[in-house]
Amino acid sequence: MSFRHAVAPARSVEDHRLRIEDLLNPLATRGSETAPMTAALGRRLATDVFAPLDLPVFRNSAMDGYAVRAAAVAVVPVTLPLAGVVAAGNTDQPVLPPGAAMKVMTGAPIPPGADCVIPVEHTRSDGKTVTIEHGRSAGEFVREPGTDVRAGQLLAAAGTVLRPRHIAALAAVGIGELTVTRRVRAAVITTGDELRPAGAHLLPGQIYNSNGIALAAALTDNDADVVSVAHSTDDPAEFRARLAEAVAQADVVFTSGGVSMGDFEVVKDVLAELGGQFGAVAMQPGGPQGVSVVDDIPVLSFPGNPVSTMVSFEVFARPVLRRLAGLPELPISELPLLDPVRSPAGKRQFLRGKLVDGGVRLVSGQGSHLVASMAQADVLVNIPPQATDVAAGTIVEVHPL
């Protein structure tokens, strides 16, 4: 019996997902690299980061106002002579004379001898003197060194996925580069004689290649580093060449097309010879699936219909890639389905839907080729294998896209 016509029982979605997780889990130990702070957003820290200095670095003013000794304004109103102006960035340290005031800007160093700041709105000044109408206690509106963070204090723990707030704190203590977990390097190979690049003239029987761009976008959106996007015709020699290039530079390779039961299934034909496993998963769309290991690199093979490719990525690859990247799991919710559904027995169906009116409504068309319709969806509706007739109003599991 030939490989092409040997039909094994369909695997469940859960079993196939576990198989892919087992293949990709070793990428959790993929190592680290140095990234400049300007490129650190969204990266995952590989090491703890400790503050190299106190923050604030020096005593400075929290307000635009006047630096004084609290004892000098114990009784108000009081008029004090002005002894100068200290701006933010002033590196001199003029000493405040007894019984005087110095005008200070927000962030400016507190002059030695001063112990509080009077906000400008509580004063009147003629440029030579200042009349203070509200007294202040020592320490008011003075930022002391280390009140934000002390030198040696943990600033961000290993595993933190850096958001703008982390970048702000790390930059404030003068850190210019970070040790971050290396992103998963992913390569994409699309297959099919019928596919043409955007902008090319289409002959009868040809279509534009959307899967390469779409898979690259999905990988990037989940923090993978897309190292190549290639296309192969249905010629086995060409596919072998593209595959060799991909596994030489990637941690994981994604292929699209060539995995079904037809006569020109180049991906299955080549990878099966290398030990790849291909067969049906009990789902719709995206039933034909394949997993292989080539030169120790996992290769995940999805069917070529555009919706099948994207649903396969969402169901099998996206959750594990997000976990490897340290990104939060996307929340799965339960909502009423606003349309009735007939679903094939024994297959888990993933329908494209849109959140409306406290429920989810199916977008027009559920065929695996209807990629434009999928653009209108913001969720996948998970219909379990045992559900064949789902009435409107039934509570269903909803996965965000």
Side-chain angles (χ1 to χ4, degrees), residues 29 62 85 127 269 278 384:
T29 57
V85 178
D269 291 346
F278 290 82

Side-chain angles (χ1 to χ4, degrees), residues 88-260:
N90 192 320
T91 57
D92 297 329
Q93 288 196 328
V95 177
L96 178 68
M102 278 190 179
K103 193 171 187 178
V104 292
M105 306 302 138
T106 302
I110 298 293
D115 59 13
C116 68
V117 173
I118 310 299
V120 67
E121 56 266 32
H122 297 159
T123 66
R124 290 179 287 111
S125 176
D126 59 9
K128 295 181 180 180
T129 63
V130 58
T131 299
I132 295 167
E133 299 172 341
H134 298 279
R136 294 291 175 184
S137 302
E140 286 196 73
F141 299 113
V142 174
R143 299 166 176 163
E144 295 292 346
T147 50
D148 190 0
V149 66
R150 288 286 186 186
Q153 185 176 334
L154 180 66
L155 199 56
T160 299
V161 176
L162 296 169
R163 307 309 307 156
R165 63 185 183 275
H166 303 116
I167 301 294
L170 295 165
V173 295
I175 294 174
E177 60 182 26
L178 298 163
T179 302
V180 295
T181 302
R182 185 175 58 75
R183 285 188 168 111
V184 172
R185 293 184 298 237
V188 176
I189 306 173
T190 57
T191 62
D193 289 343
E194 74 279 13
L195 299 183
R196 299 288 290 155
H201 175 67
L202 295 181
L203 297 175
Q206 295 180 331
I207 60 174
Y208 288 120
N209 184 352
S210 63
N211 287 345
I213 293 173
L215 275 174
L219 286 160
T220 300
D221 192 43
N222 291 278
D223 204 46
D225 179 14
V226 180
V227 295
S228 69
V229 180
H231 175 69
S232 171
T233 66
D234 290 326
D235 176 38
E238 184 179 355
F239 177 70
R240 289 189 189 98
R242 299 292 84 76
L243 181 65
E245 293 165 358
V247 298
Q249 57 186 321
D251 300 314
V252 58
V253 177
F254 291 83
T255 72
S256 173
V259 297
S260 192

Side-chain angles (χ1 to χ4, degrees), residues 179-368:
T179 302
V180 295
T181 302
R182 185 175 58 75
R183 285 188 168 111
V184 172
R185 293 184 298 237
V188 176
I189 306 173
T190 57
T191 62
D193 289 343
E194 74 279 13
L195 299 183
R196 299 288 290 155
H201 175 67
L202 295 181
L203 297 175
Q206 295 180 331
I207 60 174
Y208 288 120
N209 184 352
S210 63
N211 287 345
I213 293 173
L215 275 174
L219 286 160
T220 300
D221 192 43
N222 291 278
D223 204 46
D225 179 14
V226 180
V227 295
S228 69
V229 180
H231 175 69
S232 171
T233 66
D234 290 326
D235 176 38
E238 184 179 355
F239 177 70
R240 289 189 189 98
R242 299 292 84 76
L243 181 65
E245 293 165 358
V247 298
Q249 57 186 321
D251 300 314
V252 58
V253 177
F254 291 83
T255 72
S256 173
V259 297
S260 192
M261 300 294 289
D263 291 338
F264 303 100
E265 308 297 350
V266 64
V267 173
K268 184 168 70 172
D269 291 346
V270 169
L271 288 173
E273 294 175 354
L274 302 176
Q277 299 178 354
F278 290 82
V281 173
M283 64 184 286
Q284 189 180 53
Q289 296 285 333
V291 293
S292 313
V293 177
V294 179
D295 294 341
D296 297 324
I297 301 301
V299 180
L300 308 185
S301 297
F302 297 153
N305 276 318
V307 175
S308 297
T309 294
M310 297 312 297
V311 169
S312 296
F313 181 89
E314 293 289 333
V315 172
F316 297 123
R318 189 179 191 184
V320 64
L321 288 173
R322 291 185 68 83
R323 178 169 53 77
L324 290 169
L327 300 175
E329 290 185 25
L330 295 176
I332 297 173
S333 55
E334 293 186 342
L335 294 170
L337 180 63
L338 302 181
D339 303 294
V341 167
R342 287 187 61 83
S343 190
K347 289 186 178 181
R348 186 173 295 278
Q349 189 167 196
F350 292 96
L351 305 176
R352 281 75 73 204
K354 189 173 184 62
L355 300 177
V356 291
D357 302 326
V360 58
R361 187 170 296 284
L362 301 182
V363 299
S364 61
Q366 294 295 325
S368 59

